Amino acid sequence: MIDLSTPIKPGAVPMDGLSADLALRSLVIGLTAFLTVVDLFATQAILPSLTRHYGVTPAAMGFAVNASTFGMAVASLVVGFFSPHINRRNGILLSLALLAIPTSLLASAPNLAVFTALRVAQGLCMASAFALTLAYLGEQCSAMDAGGAFAAYITGNVASNLVGRLISAAVADGLGLAWNFYVFAALNLAGAALVYFTIKHVQPMHAMSATESPLAAMFAHWRDPRLRAAYGIGFCILFAFIGTFTFVNFVLVRPPLSLGMMGLGFVYVVFLPSVLTTLLAGRIASRLGPRPTIWGSLAVAGIGLPLMLTPHLGVVLAGMVLVGVGTFFAQATATGFVGQAATDGRGIASGTYLACYFCGGLVGTAVLGRLFDAFGWQACVAGVGLALAAAALLTIDLKR
């Protein structure tokens, strides 16, 4: 089993061995990300079924399912603040082990309030592991391979969106809603086991000085216009992503598309291109710079929005592919940029970025849910377009 804590030195092994080691390390990084956030969006595949089960509106159920983003925002900020004092390996391992508890309890949640609270608890655990892993990668990877490591991690995130939804739809359709959550609790424990065997003897390589407080580091990051812009871009990206892939589920199950549960699950094969393209984000951003890369990504996502307004399934799916490719590519680029732009207190910078990112998801659910209930899918898509435009404006402040 590969140890992610062991640096790979190009001169120590032949090029073919080096490539194999890098590929294996990227695979383990991606798999860790997959098992960390597989719960986050998988539940969206069964949103219509949950809406019927609890007898609520799409906006109410969408807010409950995405309440995990609130927990993730809070945990990202707290973990980032105390990051210099948290052992990376133990923190990630404990977070993933504890995640299995609220995940399994969701199977018997008696009402929407309890369901929402458990989703918040899931978010607290997921974000703790997520933020600590990003801090770990920023500390352990050199500037040369950091982009590739972050891209591999975000690619695992993308894969969780696809495979998680497929698993959720298949298990709920075949065994019922309760078993869906038991299966994901088992995946949480598998993530803890992976971390146990692949991360060892982690010591931060970019620790803050003893005189620098976490609060001072956080304020210093906010004064940096580049990091401030990156935080805003993260907010807008998940705002747009949540708005698209939460409420499109209700469009897909209604006439004229009228998909069933398994059909809705298989729709999320649209994330497969994103799994492949996101791996290239680090390399392209290094070559072109963050601004052109993010602008191009946002443009791709924007092209997909009008396609999702048509009554034809193939065209809607094409639009979903473009939005997924664009938003995930932009996210990978912005995440890597934060890890490299923050020369001190990288754990705090990553935690602040993730807090803003997940706050965008929560605000997007609330705002776009209201638009969807009151004015329909067209208004929701328009709101997504405004978020992408805001991200494009913020990108002006990003510099190498």
Side-chain angles (χ1 to χ4, degrees):
M1 182 67 72
I2 188 171
D3 181 0
L4 295 185
S5 308
T6 303
I8 296 177
K9 299 179 180 180
V13 293
M15 286 306 296
D16 55 347
L18 176 63
S19 299
D21 286 344
L22 287 173
L24 181 57
R25 189 171 72 161
S26 295
L27 176 62
V28 173
I29 290 172
L31 187 57
T32 302
F34 173 88
L35 294 170
T36 299
V37 295
V38 69
D39 302 87
L40 182 58
F41 296 120
T43 313
Q44 290 183 350
I46 55 174
L47 257 176
S49 297
L50 288 170
T51 301
R52 292 191 297 269
H53 178 75
Y54 287 104
V56 294
T57 65
M61 196 68 242
F63 184 84
V65 164
N66 292 315
S68 54
T69 58
F70 174 75
M72 296 190 84
V74 172
S76 297
L77 203 57
V78 172
V79 170
F81 192 82
F82 294 104
S83 177
H85 311 291
I86 299 176
N87 179 278
R88 304 294 188 244
R89 179 180 186 271
N90 293 342
I92 299 168
L93 185 60
L94 182 62
S95 298
L96 291 176
L98 291 176
L99 176 58
I101 297 174
T103 303
S104 58
L105 290 176
L106 281 167
S108 54
N111 53 54
L112 194 63
V114 174
F115 185 97
T116 303
L118 290 172
R119 286 292 285 174
V120 172
Q122 278 188 306
L124 291 170
C125 297
M126 282 188 281
S128 298
F130 198 92
L132 288 172
T133 306
L134 287 181
Y136 163 79
L137 293 176
E139 292 161 355
Q140 298 298 316
C141 296
S142 67
M144 184 66 66
D145 66 2
F150 284 118
Y153 195 71
I154 300 303
T155 300
N157 184 0
V158 179
S160 73
N161 278 269
L162 166 58
V163 180
R165 283 176 165 93
L166 289 175
I167 293 173
S168 185
V171 174
D173 191 40
L175 301 174
L177 290 174
W179 271 100
N180 167 76
F181 298 109
Y182 293 137
V183 168
F184 281 95
L187 290 176
N188 301 151
L189 295 177
L194 180 66
V195 169
Y196 180 83
F197 287 109
T198 59
I199 296 182
K200 301 176 183 177
H201 313 299
V202 179
Q203 295 182 359
M205 296 171 61
H206 301 280
M208 294 186 305
S209 64
T211 58
E212 185 180 11
S213 71
L215 192 60
M218 184 179 296
F219 285 147
H221 293 157
W222 276 105
R223 287 193 296 270
D224 187 332
R226 301 178 305 158
L227 288 174
R228 197 164 58 237
Y231 297 160
I233 292 167
F235 180 96
C236 293
I237 288 173
L238 196 59
F239 185 105
F241 181 87
I242 285 279
T244 301
F245 292 102
T246 295
F247 299 105
V248 73
N249 292 284
F250 297 101
V251 175
L252 293 170
V253 299
R254 294 174 181 174
L257 302 178
S258 303
L259 296 181
M261 183 179 294
M262 276 308 301
L264 187 61
F266 279 111
V267 155
Y268 287 97
V269 173
V270 296
F271 287 126
L272 186 57
S274 300
V275 174
L276 303 176
T277 58
T278 305
L279 281 170
L280 304 174
R283 183 181 305 174
I284 292 177
S286 297
R287 177 171 298 181
L288 300 181
R291 285 189 292 184
T293 303
I294 294 179
W295 277 328
S297 304
L298 296 174
V300 169
I303 292 171
L305 294 181
L307 301 182
M308 293 190 297
L309 298 175
T310 70
H312 306 292
L313 180 60
V315 180
V316 172
L317 295 181
M320 293 172 68
V321 167
L322 293 175
V323 173
V325 167
T327 53
F328 277 120
F329 210 95
Q331 182 200 358
T333 305
T335 304
F337 177 82
V338 170
Q340 296 175 48
T343 54
D344 296 310
R346 286 178 170 173
I348 294 174
S350 294
T352 305
Y353 170 80
L354 289 175
C356 295
Y357 177 74
F358 292 118
C359 275
L362 186 66
V363 174
T365 301
V367 172
L368 298 175
R370 289 294 185 89
L371 287 176
F372 183 82
D373 278 353
F375 304 105
W377 178 231
Q378 291 82 0
C380 185
V381 170
V384 171
L386 289 175
L388 295 177
L393 288 175
L394 288 168
T395 305
I396 295 173
D397 288 331
L398 297 190
K399 299 176 181 178
R400 287 181 183 271

